[in-house]
């Protein structure tokens, strides 16, 4: 299923280093955050890239700005985009910066925060259906009517390259600090972010993992099937991780590069959300918190914390089993569990966004964990 028929699915067209050079000074270089409490829980050093603080509220600003900027330089007068929210906001902001018209297609049940942000950026907002195919059909129609190209959220090479710059910054900053990454974990919606991460990690001994909610696991199923495989997305608090199918371009990139996919449930995502809020005082979307939930599953921290479902698939499941056995046998002298013959000392995760509805924040922050913290 091609999301953007005009774009060739060619991983060689995705240049993360070029995107990083172009975006230098145009996007925020967001900080790396660390919490001793989260490190203890995970059993490894966890470095979190705070893209929730990025302009536009998410790392989607990177891909949207790079793609729209290049289209503006090529003489385009406008753009069309569709997404569940953050990509549309990013494209709208990028179009305003470059003086282009923007039309964005969002689902009828899109978060009000994201709809309002897109409109505030000057975009024409069109609401269409609840599934990606409905939005794509409307986006193509609008593109035909206006002559404006579609900046696809998943299959546009400049979008994927731009998303990858968040991971590249994380990798480089960790190296400069003397704590190079052993693993890199990203939430997966359409797959552009994790594909960019795989490219950013090329040439380094870094294992890259994707994280998907149960029932929204198109990437995991696609890897098993050997081709992009759609799903009927299940309900989840991680609204940004609900595309029905991973993009063809991201799949072509990750199929031979990704170490594994970690599945998490809403309980694990909510707990990660609360950890970020309480330990780091950081407000992340559940979609972004899913990355931390994946780290805790990968290292065994979440299993110790909540005894949740078996969360890993494929090679990731094998690695998690190794971690659990080694935890029971005892950690090494640094307190870090090992994976086979390789120790995991440092794991990076991209907190992909922070555009959260106020009522969702209240609902997720209200459970017993807050009460326990107050009592302490």
């Amino acid at each position: 299923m091609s999301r953007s028929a005009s774009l060739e699915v060619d991983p060689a067209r995705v240049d993360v280093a070029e995107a990083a050079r172009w975006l230098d000074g145009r996007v925020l270089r967001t900080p790396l955050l660390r919490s001793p409490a989260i490190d203890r829980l995970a059993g490894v050093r966890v470095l979190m890239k705070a893209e929730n603080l990025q302009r536009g509220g998410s790392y989607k600003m990177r891909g949207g700005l790079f793609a729209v900027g290049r289209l503006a330089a090529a003489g385009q007068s406008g753009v069309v985009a569709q997404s569940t929210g953050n990509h549309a906001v990013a494209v709208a902001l990028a179009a305003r910066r470059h003086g282009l018209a923007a039309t964005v297609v969002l689902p009828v049940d899109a978060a009000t925060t994201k709809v309002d942000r897109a409109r505030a950026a000057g975009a024409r907002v069109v609401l269409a259906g609840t599934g990606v195919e409905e939005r794509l059909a409307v986006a193509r129609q609008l593109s035909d009517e206006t002559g404006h190209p579609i900046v696809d959220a998943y299959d546009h090479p400049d979008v994927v390259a731009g998303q990858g710059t968040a991971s590249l910054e994380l990798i480089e900053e960790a190296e400069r600090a003397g704590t190079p990454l052993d693993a890199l974990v990203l939430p997966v919606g359409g797959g552009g972010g994790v594909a960019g991460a795989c490219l950013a990690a090329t040439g380094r001994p870094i294992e890259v993992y994707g994280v998907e909610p149960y029932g929204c696991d198109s990437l995991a199923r696609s890897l098993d099937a050997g081709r992009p495989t759609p799903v009927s997305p299940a309900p989840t608090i991680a609204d940004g991780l609900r595309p029905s199918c991973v993009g063809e371009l991201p799949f072509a990139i990750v199929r031979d590069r990704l170490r594994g996919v970690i599945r998490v449930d809403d309980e694990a995502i909510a707990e990660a959300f609360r950890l970020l809020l309480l330990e780091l005082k950081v407000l992340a979307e559940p979609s972004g918190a899913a990355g931390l939930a994946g780290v805790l599953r990968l290292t065994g921290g979440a299993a110790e914390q909540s005894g949740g479902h078996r969360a890993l698939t494929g090679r990731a499941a094998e690695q998690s089993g190794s971690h659990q056995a080694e935890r029971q046998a005892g950690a090494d002298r640094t307190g870090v569990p090992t994976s086979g013959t390789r120790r995991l000392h440092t794991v990076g995760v991209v907190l992909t966004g922070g555009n959260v509805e106020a009522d969702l924040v209240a609902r997720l922050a209200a459970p017993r964990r807050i009460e326990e913290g107050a009592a302490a």
Side-chain angles (χ1 to χ4, degrees):
M1 177 183 64
S2 176
R3 295 182 184 279
S4 185
S6 64
L7 294 173
E8 181 184 356
V9 179
D10 180 6
R13 296 181 62 198
V14 182
D15 192 332
V16 175
E18 179 186 10
R21 288 190 294 271
W22 193 95
L23 288 168
D24 187 28
R26 291 183 167 100
V27 294
L28 294 177
R29 194 171 186 90
T30 53
L32 292 189
L33 306 178
R34 188 178 171 197
S35 159
I38 291 174
D39 286 357
R40 286 194 299 271
L41 186 59
V44 298
R45 181 187 297 113
V46 183
L47 301 182
M48 291 162 277
K49 181 71 166 166
E51 285 294 299
N52 55 306
L53 304 178
Q54 186 58 257
R55 294 187 179 100
S58 82
Y59 81 146
K60 297 285 188 178
M61 193 67 201
R62 296 171 177 270
L65 189 59
F66 185 45
V68 172
R70 293 182 58 151
L71 287 170
Q76 293 290 341
S77 61
V79 290
V80 176
Q82 68 77 26
S83 80
T84 56
N86 282 335
H87 176 70
V89 172
V91 168
L93 288 167
R96 183 175 68 181
R97 182 179 297 193
H98 289 282
L100 274 60
T103 304
V104 298
V105 184
L106 294 167
V108 294
D109 57 354
T112 303
T113 298
K114 295 172 184 178
V115 174
D116 291 345
R117 279 181 176 257
R119 285 186 172 138
R124 173 192 175 195
V125 175
V126 177
L127 302 179
T130 57
V132 65
E133 287 303 330
E134 296 167 289
R135 298 196 304 274
L136 281 167
V138 172
R140 291 176 184 132
Q141 180 182 348
L142 292 167
S143 179
D144 290 342
E145 291 173 357
T146 62
H148 297 159
I150 295 176
V151 180
D152 194 90
Y154 319 128
D155 280 328
H156 197 296
D158 290 341
V159 170
V160 175
Q163 285 7 353
T165 64
S167 292
L168 183 60
E169 285 183 13
L170 197 168
I171 291 168
E172 292 177 344
E173 289 169 23
E175 289 173 348
R176 283 194 294 271
T179 56
L181 300 185
D182 300 301
L184 178 57
V185 179
L186 276 90
V188 176
V194 75
C198 285
L199 294 175
T202 299
R204 293 175 168 94
I206 299 173
E207 299 172 348
V208 181
Y209 294 85
V211 181
E212 294 182 305
Y214 282 104
C216 302
D217 52 351
S218 174
L219 178 55
R221 298 188 192 193
S222 298
L223 291 170
D224 288 342
R227 63 184 182 279
T229 301
V231 298
S232 297
T236 176
I237 58 174
D239 67 288
L241 307 184
R242 296 188 68 244
S244 60
C245 190
V246 65
E248 291 187 5
L249 176 58
F251 180 76
I253 292 169
V254 307
R255 63 183 305 170
D256 296 321
R257 293 179 172 91
L258 196 68
R259 183 70 172 84
V261 176
I262 307 165
R263 292 184 175 102
V264 294
D265 58 22
D266 275 6
E267 181 182 354
I269 294 171
E271 184 59 32
F273 173 93
R274 289 189 285 271
L275 278 171
L276 292 167
L277 191 62
L278 292 173
E279 298 299 335
L280 287 171
K281 311 301 183 282
V282 160
L283 183 62
E285 292 180 47
S287 299
L292 176 58
V295 170
L296 295 173
R297 292 292 186 195
L298 176 64
T299 63
E304 292 182 356
Q305 170 180 241
S306 63
H309 299 294
R310 185 165 90 78
L312 308 182
T313 62
R315 288 169 289 178
E318 298 169 5
Q319 178 152 331
S320 179
S322 174
H323 284 171
Q324 294 283 29
E326 285 156 4
R327 278 181 176 277
Q328 293 170 4
D332 69 6
R333 62 186 178 84
T334 65
V336 179
T338 61
S339 171
T341 59
R342 183 186 180 199
R343 293 185 181 93
L344 283 184
H345 291 278
T346 307
V347 178
V349 59
V350 179
L351 304 179
T352 50
N355 294 319
V356 194
E357 296 283 278
D359 60 344
L360 181 59
V361 174
R363 180 156 55 91
L364 293 178
R368 55 185 172 81
R369 298 288 179 183
I370 297 293
E371 298 172 3
E372 291 171 359

